[in-house]
Amino acid sequence: MPEAPAYYADGPEALIVSLAMRGDKSAFSELVRRRQPGVRNLFRRFSNSPELADDMAQRVFLKAWQRIRQLKHADRFGGWLKKIAVNEWIDYQRKHGGIATTELDDVQLEAPPVSTSEAIDLDAALAALPAPVRLCIVLSYHENLSHSEIAELTGIKLGTIKSHIRRGSELLRDLLKAYGGSV
Amino acid sequence: MNRDPALQALFDSAETELRDDAFTTAVEQRIDRRGKRVIAGRLAAVILLVTLEVLLESPLQQSLGVAAEILSTTLIPLDNEWLAFALSPINSIAGLIGLVLIGTQHLYRRMR
């Protein structure tokens, strides 16, 4: 890929996005450089696996490059990228049985069985939550999205999201407490 | 919206500053590989089409002619010339197939 002009690194994002929309690969690389920590961290919360997280994040950027000409407003790149990332994760979960294809809403919340000897961190505790609950919790706490934004992004009903976040938070607190966490 | 402050703090502290390292290069390589695959696929399709065109020129033209004839067959014969002309896009087998396809697509979208 050609070397990016030095001023790309300091350019406003909307400008870099506009250049990428015109097929400038160097501009897109600059967007990857800027956005990669956010996308990779999001997938780390989702998956509890740095390797899988990086692979998923790469897929997201590949998809973003393929579809960037469809982006209507350059200044909405961040939200658009987040939507691709969440859809990619939901698709991945469906393919791997984490989220039932039929409905994201029906989830039985029970404390998952975990070994008490195991040191548990946030990602491991998140991994113990049912997939749709984890999705809502991560989008709420990690991405700071409102309930309605999560509903719009995931297609899950608003009431279900509220319930997932309330019960998921309780479960997460219990899991973290059980292992001597600070919560 | 009520967020648990302790959990929020935990999430905030879990946000690690991930260094770029080889990540951007890996994405670039993936994009290049994908681009090459697309070009190779298009080339293969062109070669296949040209080969088929050479091999099947005559039978293909014949079958296309037959298909065009079948597709343009009028479903309901109309005496009025203008009416027949105006309804010709839907009053044919091709029109019927088109309507069925649109209906199926509409149904599929609603089911999704």
Side-chain angles (χ1 to χ4, degrees), chain A:
Chain A
M1 209 164 275
E3 194 73 23
Y7 58 84
Y8 275 18
D10 306 317
E13 186 171 87
L15 173 68
I16 307 297
V17 172
S18 301
L19 291 167
M21 285 165 78
R22 288 164 189 235
D24 186 335
K25 281 186 182 177
S26 303
F28 188 75
S29 293
E30 177 56 31
L31 292 175
V32 176
R33 258 186 289 279
R34 290 183 191 190
R35 291 285 179 171
Q36 57 89 17
V39 179
R40 289 166 76 192
N41 266 313
L42 175 65
F43 280 114
R44 281 176 187 219
R45 297 298 90 77
F46 280 151
S47 70
N48 186 32
S49 159
E51 294 78 23
L52 177 61
D54 279 7
D55 183 53
M56 296 294 296
Q58 285 177 19
R59 283 193 223 178
V60 166
F61 283 113
L62 177 62
K63 247 182 200 162
W65 170 249
Q66 288 170 328
R67 296 177 186 174
I68 198 159
R69 284 170 189 83
Q70 297 167 16
L71 180 62
K72 287 178 185 143
H73 305 281
D75 55 347
R76 293 185 195 161
F77 177 74
W80 179 77
L81 189 67
K82 200 177 288 176
K83 196 170 176 67
I84 296 178
V86 170
N87 284 334
E88 194 69 19
W89 179 248
I90 291 174
D91 283 349
Y92 176 84
Q93 286 286 294
R94 280 180 176 153
K95 279 178 197 154
H96 294 81
I99 294 178
T101 315
T102 46
E103 192 50 79
L104 281 159
D105 292 334
D106 298 329
V107 173
Q108 295 298 315
L109 270 186
E110 290 168 13
V114 282
S115 157
T116 47
S117 62
E118 191 184 348
I120 195 162
D121 61 7
L122 177 63
D123 288 347
L126 281 168
L129 298 177
V133 178
R134 190 189 328 148
L135 179 70
C136 294
I137 289 277
V138 170
L139 291 177
S140 175
Y141 283 99
H142 181 78
E143 292 295 321
N144 294 315
L145 296 183
S146 67
H147 292 163
S148 50
E149 284 171 326
I150 297 172
E152 196 184 323
L153 206 57
T154 60
I156 304 176
K157 291 173 198 154
L158 199 60
T160 310
I161 290 170
K162 287 178 186 171
S163 139
H164 279 355
I165 291 175
R166 192 185 66 251
R167 299 287 314 280
S169 301
E170 287 167 12
L171 205 55
L172 200 55
R173 269 195 303 270
D174 290 346
L175 278 165
L176 291 163
K177 259 182 208 159
Y179 303 105
S182 55
V183 179

Side-chain angles (χ1 to χ4, degrees), chain B residues 49 52-67:
Chain B
L49 280 175
L52 285 175
E53 161 72 12
V54 170
L55 291 174
L56 306 170
E57 192 180 1
S58 173
L60 198 68
Q61 276 177 356
Q62 262 184 344
S63 37
L64 281 176
V66 172

Side-chain angles (χ1 to χ4, degrees), chain A residues 58, chain B residues 26-38:
Chain A
Q58 285 177 19
Chain B
V27 173
E28 289 171 348
Q29 284 169 349
R30 241 170 148 148
I31 288 172
D32 285 343
R33 275 202 303 274
R34 174 82 187 179
K36 280 176 190 160
R37 271 207 299 273
V38 169

Side-chain angles (χ1 to χ4, degrees), chain B residues 3-92:
Chain B
R3 284 203 189 95
D4 182 317
L7 278 180
Q8 186 63 65
L10 195 66
F11 269 90
D12 292 345
S13 64
E15 180 81 11
T16 44
E17 188 52 52
L18 293 168
R19 284 177 52 214
D20 187 3
D21 295 329
F23 185 84
T24 304
T25 313
V27 173
E28 289 171 348
Q29 284 169 349
R30 241 170 148 148
I31 288 172
D32 285 343
R33 275 202 303 274
R34 174 82 187 179
K36 280 176 190 160
R37 271 207 299 273
V38 169
I39 291 170
R42 282 178 188 164
L43 257 174
V46 168
I47 290 167
L48 186 71
L49 280 175
V50 170
T51 312
L52 285 175
E53 161 72 12
V54 170
L55 291 174
L56 306 170
E57 192 180 1
S58 173
L60 198 68
Q61 276 177 356
Q62 262 184 344
S63 37
L64 281 176
V66 172
E69 206 172 305
I70 292 170
L71 288 174
S72 60
T73 305
T74 306
L75 291 173
I76 305 162
L78 295 166
D79 293 334
N80 186 317
E81 244 178 63
W82 284 103
L83 193 63
F85 177 71
L87 293 177
S88 60
I90 51 168
N91 188 21
S92 65

